[in-house]
Amino acid sequence: MELAVITEMSYARTKPAEYVSQRLQPLVEAATGTYLEALNECITQMNAMSALPALTAADGLYKCANEWVVSSGPAGTIGHDPNLSTRISKYCTWSSYGENCSYGYNTAEKIVVALLIDDGEASRGHRKNILSSAFTHAGAAIGSHATYTTMCCIDFASGYAEK
């Protein structure tokens, strides 16, 4: 399923208007409140954007993401590793990096849609990472989480090279 997450993000990047039509627009009818606001904002942004290249799956980024899933999931930790630059540097070199964490979703589509809508995150940082033209590579890891059953960590990089 980890590769399916990267494929789903790449679908959103390479065919944004189609992604909106297929994945996001069907959610509008049942959406309310801040979720509807975030969804409509995402739809507007993606309909206005140009296509981006697909993300390349990267083993070093998968290892980095998996390390966070293995260490934080069983403990029920929520959020990002404050030492992400140290963790990512064990597996690759990079010029810039980012990380998304998702909790409680069990399919690639649900994970990516939730991160793109990014309800509850004022900065829309998860959406920005997925739709960033700077990021060229990604690695996703999925595992158990003590509170939310499932978690997904996605690490992104530009200027990427394996160590």
Side-chain angles (χ1 to χ4, degrees):
M1 190 161 83
E2 286 94 349
L3 188 54
V5 170
I6 294 169
T7 301
E8 186 74 16
M9 290 188 299
S10 291
Y11 177 30
R13 291 167 58 94
T14 61
K15 297 180 180 180
E18 182 180 311
Y19 194 89
V20 164
S21 173
Q22 295 297 310
R23 301 283 202 256
L24 302 179
Q25 201 63 47
L27 303 174
V28 171
E29 189 173 318
T32 60
T34 62
Y35 182 84
L36 178 59
E37 291 172 22
L39 174 59
N40 282 330
E41 179 187 289
C42 184
I43 288 170
T44 299
Q45 180 181 348
M46 290 184 70
N47 275 331
M49 69 182 271
S50 298
L52 297 170
L55 292 163
T56 301
D59 189 55
L61 293 172
Y62 162 75
K63 289 174 182 173
C64 180
N66 191 59
E67 183 178 323
W68 187 239
V69 168
V70 168
S71 67
S72 68
T77 303
I78 299 169
H80 302 282
D81 180 359
N83 299 310
L84 175 56
S85 64
T86 301
R87 180 167 40 96
I88 200 169
S89 293
K90 289 192 265 183
Y91 303 106
C92 60
T93 60
W94 41 268
S95 57
S96 65
Y97 63 87
E99 182 173 78
N100 287 354
C101 293
S102 168
Y103 303 91
Y105 299 102
N106 59 3
T107 70
E109 181 179 332
K110 288 178 183 178
I111 289 166
V112 174
V113 165
L115 291 169
L116 282 168
I117 295 170
D118 219 4
D119 185 31
E121 293 294 327
S123 71
R124 305 290 191 239
H126 300 116
R127 183 187 313 155
K128 287 177 184 174
N129 283 343
I130 294 170
L131 301 179
S132 172
S133 60
F135 293 137
T136 56
H137 291 74
I142 298 169
S144 298
H145 191 271
T147 305
Y148 292 98
T149 306
T150 304
M151 77 172 284
C152 176
C153 178
I154 307 163
D155 289 323
F156 301 88
S158 62
Y160 177 84
E162 296 279 338
K163 277 196 170 174

